[in-house]
Structure formats: structure tokens, C-alpha cells
Amino acid sequence: MKTITTDIAIMGSGLAGLTAAVKAAEAGARVAVFEKRPFQGGGVSNTPMMTLAVRDDQEYKDKAFKVHMEYTNYSADAAVVRSWIDNSSHIPEFINGLGIDFLHVMKFDLETLGQLPGYSAGFPKGMHLGDYYFLKGQGKGHGAAVICKRMADTVEKLGGELYFSCPVKGLIREGDKVVGLVATDKDGEELRVSAKAVVIASGGFSDNPGMIKEFTGFTYTNNNCDDGGNVLFNTFPGARMTGDGQRAVWEIGGAQGSMGINGHNLVPGPGIIGHTPWIMKNQMRIIQEQPYLWVNQRGERFIDEGISNNHMAMGTSIARQPDKCSYIVFDEATKRHMEQEGLEYIYFIFPAEKLTDVSGQFEHLIDVVGNKHAFVADTVEDLCAETGIDAAGLTRTLDAYNDYCDKGHDDQFAKDPAFLRPVREPKFYALRCFCGGYQALGGIKVNGKCQVVDDDYRPIKGLYAAGDCAAGEIWGNPPTGGIGVTTICFSQGFITGREAVEYAKSL
């Protein structure tokens, strides 16, 4: 067994962990970062292409706080939310201090907070809380990965140590405080780390099917959603986020915090996307953004389809449907509309004003690559036979929906009349959508200082948590349309780095 002595031990080398490491090292503390992968982490949940900062202005911070708390129906931990928002204003300066410029910046007036789509597109208005700072990527890497590499280099320059291929196996608790951790090095030898404070920044649990099933009720599946699976995590596969930090905290008496998943609606299977949802192989991913007819397995509508480009809303709604899946259904006339007149929704990640050869793309998916979630049929009855949609239910829905289209008013869900396009002209098309996952997050309960607390809400001395493993406290219990975002990771990295150093100095 090897021994290591340090001031601050950090589990995880993603945005939160490395931010904490940089701030602690800058304050003069000895820092040791432990990462189970052979390289540093970086933005494996969502929004790796940008971050959000609320201005250091009391009106802005108050407005952002209220908008967010209302968005979670006040089920979030108000103290944790407030500390995140109040610390986010330091993010731009911190990134610039690493020698990194932004690709561009979008700033918004106070009155727009809570009134525009979050992150400029794809997210609820309740997530529009401040200004957006787009990160510069490098090669095929996204901006957050570049920042993590720069932070790792900074930690080493400041005398800190990074231990790669060193998974943390547990925490060391003595009485009412944590005094270190136990890890395993790349040769399999045990490392006993003595530390004055420990920061857990190990990410979520997207790569742990057992935890997903136990704590969210979803069945994690493969890229085809085989074997009854109903959720597909592929935002950044292979991240090895298996809930190690959460388990380590629970084992020494830390309280279980809010846990959940959310994300975009996604058609699985070959031929549509690459190893992440942002790498498209054709235009089928763009169709999933459109506000046409959406039905469930019973053939029934379940939402105002005008929100189809709101990924949080779609993920939440689909999760409530039979088999946790849904279908976007359209006909030949709507196909021509998308090809000749253009799309209703254009998402900046999937830039296209019109589609090309939709029939050919469906044919390739079905006949060439064998995607079992894309369908084309000459009749509604045949479409139902292929998809498994209840034929009687879909027939009733089409009778009513086409009537709404004809008269220009959606009596059921009040969808914008501009999006009412009938489904009656053969051929008929359908894409089966499941809940994709940005991240399975949460599990560690913290207070406003990012101290890990026990079941009686008492802080465990010397133990802190930041980033996706603690982000559930920001999104409510259960999380309301919540995901891991860079702004939380940076802010909580600032907090844990600062608080851990202050605690260590008090010993």
C-alpha cells in the first residue's frame, strides 16, 4: 500500500473538479486530483459548447434566482441555487485567466430573463437566466475539453498532482469528519490518501444501468433500444460515470440527494446519428425538432407539439407515455413542405432550412442500415401494423386532428395554427422516439457551501461535492427538467475550492 499526503484531495477531473483544484492551488494549498480514466475529463454532460453567467448585479442575480426557483416549483434547494447563481459571474474572468477567449458572447437585458428559450434554443424559458459565453473548440474537441486540458496544466504548474488511472474506492471518515480517501493506482496497488479536505466531483451515473433503474425507473439500453429498453444515453458514451462518488459518500453517512435524468427526444438505431446526438448522418434528427403530429403507442396525442424543440419538455412528456416512447407522424404533403417550403424549427446545432430527399433517407435507414425505428407505409393501417401503434386510437386521433387542421384551431391542446398540418395524403411516415439522456445526475446532498450533509442535514466536516454528482439539488426533487451544465460545474468548483481551503487552514 502506498500513502499520499495532501491538503485537498479531489475525486474527478472534469470541469467541477479541476476548477476546484485550480482555485485551491492558487490559494496555496497542496492539491491531488484522482481520475479513474487515463486522461482528464471535460464537459461530458450537456452544454459543452457554452456556459452561462449571471451578471454581478443584484437585480440580475435576484431575477435569475426567482426565475429558476419558480421553474423548479420551489423544490430545489434555495441555498444551493443561490450560491451557484451568485458565483457564476466569475466564470468569464476565470476562463479568460486560463488564456482562453470566447468564440462569441450573447448578452441579454434584465427583462428577458425567463422569457426566451434557454441557451438560445432547445431549452425551457426557465433556464434563460443570464448571458451566454460560447466556448472555442479545437480540432474535433469541444470547448469544455480544451478548458479542462488548460486547467490540468495549470494545476501541475502550481505544484498540484494529477493521478490518472486511479479510481477512488472509498472515503476515510474519523468521527465527524472526512480525512482522506482510498484509491487504486494503474498497477492495481492501493493508495491511501491523507487529506485535510476532500472534494467529490465524479460526475453522474449515466454508465451504470443498475443505478439508472434503481433511482430513475428507466431501463438503460443500447443504441437500438433493444430488450425493452426505454432510455438511451449516448451524449458522451464511454465517460465511465458509474456513480462511484455517490456510493462513496453514502457509505460514510452522506445523505442521498435528488437524482434523475432528462434530455432530448431521440430516434435510436443505426444511420441517424454518430457516437453523439450532435453528429448527424442524415436529416432525420432535424425532423425530430418539428412541431407536427406526435402520438404515443395508443395513437393518442399527449402534448402541444409546438414545444417539440424544447428538449426538456419533450423528454419529460415522453417519459410519461406507455413504454416511454412516442412517434412523430406526417404524410407526403408535409414531407413536400419540409423539402420545398422549409422547416418550422431550425436548431443551431442542426442547421438546415429545408430537407432534401426525405423518401431516399427513409429508404436508406430502413432497407440499407436496418433501422427499426423509421417507418413508411401506403396506408395508416399499414403504418400501425409496422409501428405497433394502436390502429383504432390513431384513426380517432387523425379524424379529430385533421378536423382541427381544416378549421385552423386545435381544440385539444391549442397548438399554434401555423403548425397544424393534416395527415391524410399517402405515403405516411413515422419516427419512433425515446428519451435520450444528457446525463443521469445527482445523488449527493449538499448545502449552500457545497458541504456534503448527512440525513440530519448536518455538514460532514472536510467533505464537499460539486458538479453533476450534486446538481440534483439545483433542479429539485425529483429534478424538474434538469441537466448537468457548465455553469453549475464552474460555480460549484469555485465554492468547493474556496471552502475546502478555508477549512483546511482552520485545522
Side-chain angles (χ1 to χ4, degrees):
M1 181 180 69
K2 297 178 182 178
T3 59
I4 296 172
T5 300
T6 189
D7 292 328
I8 314 296
I10 298 172
M11 178 183 183
S13 67
L15 288 172
L18 287 174
T19 300
V22 169
K23 301 307 289 185
E26 287 178 340
R30 291 177 299 168
V31 175
V33 179
F34 297 87
E35 169 61 54
K36 69 178 178 179
R37 293 177 296 180
F39 48 83
Q40 87 283 337
V44 294
S45 56
N46 195 45
T47 59
M49 71 290 293
M50 71 173 77
T51 193
L52 176 147
V54 180
R55 298 180 199 177
D56 190 16
D57 177 291
Q58 201 60 53
E59 281 190 289
Y60 273 84
K61 291 189 289 189
D62 290 349
K63 178 73 175 293
F65 172 76
K66 289 181 178 180
V67 168
H68 180 84
M69 292 302 296
E70 289 175 2
Y71 173 61
T72 69
N73 198 29
Y74 285 85
S75 67
D77 186 307
V80 180
V81 170
R82 189 77 210 207
S83 63
W84 151 51
I85 288 173
D86 286 353
N87 280 272
S88 69
S89 63
H90 305 298
I91 295 173
E93 180 183 8
F94 176 73
I95 293 174
N96 289 155
L98 295 169
I100 297 173
D101 295 324
F102 296 105
L103 187 64
H104 66 273
V105 178
M106 295 176 64
K107 294 196 172 184
F108 298 90
D109 294 333
L110 177 66
E111 58 269 18
T112 71
L113 302 189
Q115 302 301 312
L116 300 174
Y119 293 91
S120 76
F123 297 93
K125 293 178 180 178
M127 293 177 67
H128 178 64
L129 302 177
D131 301 323
Y132 304 131
Y133 293 78
F134 288 76
L135 310 177
K136 283 185 179 180
Q138 182 175 319
K140 295 184 178 180
H142 56 66
V146 175
I147 292 173
C148 278
K149 180 62 172 67
R150 190 65 58 85
M151 287 197 291
D153 293 342
T154 300
V155 170
E156 291 185 321
K157 288 178 182 178
L158 292 171
E161 297 177 304
L162 282 79
Y163 295 87
F164 297 115
S165 300
C166 289
V168 173
K169 299 301 183 181
L171 298 171
I172 304 171
R173 179 172 181 173
E174 295 179 356
D176 61 352
K177 61 184 178 181
V178 166
V179 296
L181 56 81
V182 176
T184 304
D185 71 12
K186 61 182 179 180
D187 297 320
E189 186 172 359
E190 183 175 286
L191 299 175
R192 186 175 181 89
V193 181
S194 175
K196 296 176 181 178
V198 174
V199 177
I200 305 297
S202 54
F205 52 98
S206 295
D207 294 307
N208 189 320
M211 287 185 70
I212 290 169
K213 186 66 175 180
E214 180 179 359
F215 298 111
T216 75
F218 280 97
T219 299
Y220 176 34
T221 186
N222 59 22
N223 286 346
N224 288 313
C225 279
D226 289 330
D227 303 322
N230 52 36
V231 64
L232 173 66
F233 286 95
N234 70 345
T235 303
F236 287 97
R240 296 178 65 186
M241 292 186 293
T242 51
D244 301 353
Q246 289 88 334
R247 295 287 189 187
V249 167
W250 298 340
E251 286 173 1
I252 56 90
Q256 179 182 316
S258 175
M259 303 176 73
I261 55 176
N262 209 315
H264 44 83
N265 45 296
L266 187 69
V267 177
I272 296 180
I273 60 173
H275 65 280
T276 82
W278 321 129
I279 300 175
M280 299 192 307
K281 294 185 176 180
N282 54 35
Q283 296 176 317
M284 295 298 100
R285 182 63 185 83
I286 298 173
I287 293 177
Q288 298 165 48
E289 299 286 315
Q290 303 310 309
Y292 305 134
L293 177 64
W294 285 80
V295 299
N296 60 22
Q297 199 70 53
R298 293 174 56 83
E300 300 168 342
R301 295 175 71 201
F302 56 91
I303 201 166
D304 165 14
E305 298 94 345
I307 58 87
S308 60
N309 66 340
N310 181 330
H311 301 155
M312 300 295 97
M314 289 302 292
T316 300
S317 299
I318 293 172
R320 294 171 55 86
Q321 305 313 307
D323 299 326
K324 293 182 171 63
C325 76
S326 64
Y327 300 81
I328 181 170
V329 178
F330 58 95
D331 68 357
E332 196 73 21
T334 296
K335 185 204 79 170
R336 289 197 305 271
H337 169 75
M338 290 189 287
E339 293 175 333
Q340 299 174 10
E341 299 174 48
L343 300 165
E344 268 61 47
Y345 289 145
I346 301 173
Y347 190 22
F348 70 90
I349 297 180
F350 316 121
E353 295 183 0
K354 295 180 181 180
L355 302 188
T356 58
D357 190 20
V358 172
S359 296
Q361 293 188 61
F362 267 84
E363 181 179 350
H364 178 79
L365 284 179
I366 297 168
D367 298 334
V368 178
V369 301
N371 189 301
K372 65 179 184 180
H373 303 287
F375 309 92
V376 181
D378 292 324
T379 67
V380 171
E381 291 76 14
D382 288 343
L383 187 71
C384 290
E386 292 183 20
T387 60
I389 297 173
D390 182 77
L394 184 58
T395 299
R396 288 192 298 270
T397 293
L398 290 180
D399 288 343
Y401 184 74
N402 288 340
D403 181 60
Y404 302 154
C405 295
D406 292 342
K407 69 181 182 180
H409 184 269
D410 178 3
D411 295 353
Q412 187 176 11
F413 295 135
K415 181 163 72 171
D416 185 338
F419 302 147
L420 287 170
R421 302 195 61 80
V423 182
R424 58 166 61 101
E425 180 183 336
K427 295 182 174 181
F428 300 96
Y429 301 81
L431 291 168
R432 182 188 285 132
C433 294
F434 291 83
C435 298
Y438 286 125
Q439 169 64 301
L441 58 81
I444 300 177
K445 190 167 187 61
V446 296
N447 61 19
K449 293 183 177 181
C450 289
Q451 296 171 293
V452 175
V453 300
D454 63 18
D455 288 330
D456 294 322
Y457 292 77
R458 295 174 301 193
I460 298 174
K461 295 178 182 179
L463 184 59
Y464 304 83
D468 288 359
C469 62
E473 305 311 292
I474 283 174
W475 297 112
N477 196 1
T480 304
I483 57 174
V485 288
T486 56
T487 178
I488 296 172
C489 294
F490 284 124
S491 291
Q492 292 191 332
F494 298 153
I495 297 165
T496 52
R498 180 179 65 242
E499 294 292 331
V501 169
E502 290 182 3
Y503 172 76
K505 288 181 178 179
S506 72
L507 297 178

